[in-house]
Amino acid sequence: MIPPANAPPLVLLPKRQAQVQEGGYICCSGGVPIFDGVDPRYKRILWTVIAINAAMFFIELAVGQLAGSHALQADALDLLPTPLPVA
């Protein structure tokens, strides 16, 4: 894509330096937290959501089997791969 003739020139902004602030949180100079994925609270919430998803998979698969509903079974199978890239 070619920019219009009256477009302003591109300006490259400097990279923000990470720094440890009060409370031990790592933030960039703009105050936006840097996500590193090792926070124990984050991991606990993530595994809780994965467990809920797994429970729903088994419940929906069993109910679909009992009811003879291919739609419920297909929906259960659709739930299965959802957390796999995360785990």
Side-chain angles (χ1 to χ4, degrees):
M1 182 172 156
I2 300 173
N6 60 354
L10 293 176
V11 178
L12 297 177
L13 299 174
K15 290 186 177 181
R16 295 181 177 179
Q17 298 295 321
Q19 55 186 324
V20 177
Q21 295 179 347
E22 59 187 71
Y25 294 106
I26 299 176
C27 288
C28 60
S29 60
V32 179
I34 297 173
F35 177 73
D36 59 3
V38 295
D39 181 18
R41 182 172 164 252
Y42 168 78
K43 287 183 178 181
R44 185 178 67 247
I45 292 170
L46 176 65
W47 283 108
T48 301
V49 170
I50 290 173
I52 291 170
N53 190 57
M56 284 301 301
F57 166 74
F58 289 113
I59 290 170
E60 199 166 15
L61 191 63
V63 170
Q65 185 71 25
L66 290 172
S69 171
H70 293 293
L72 277 175
Q73 292 172 350
D75 191 48
L77 291 175
D78 186 49
L79 280 174
L80 182 62
T82 303
L84 293 180
V86 178

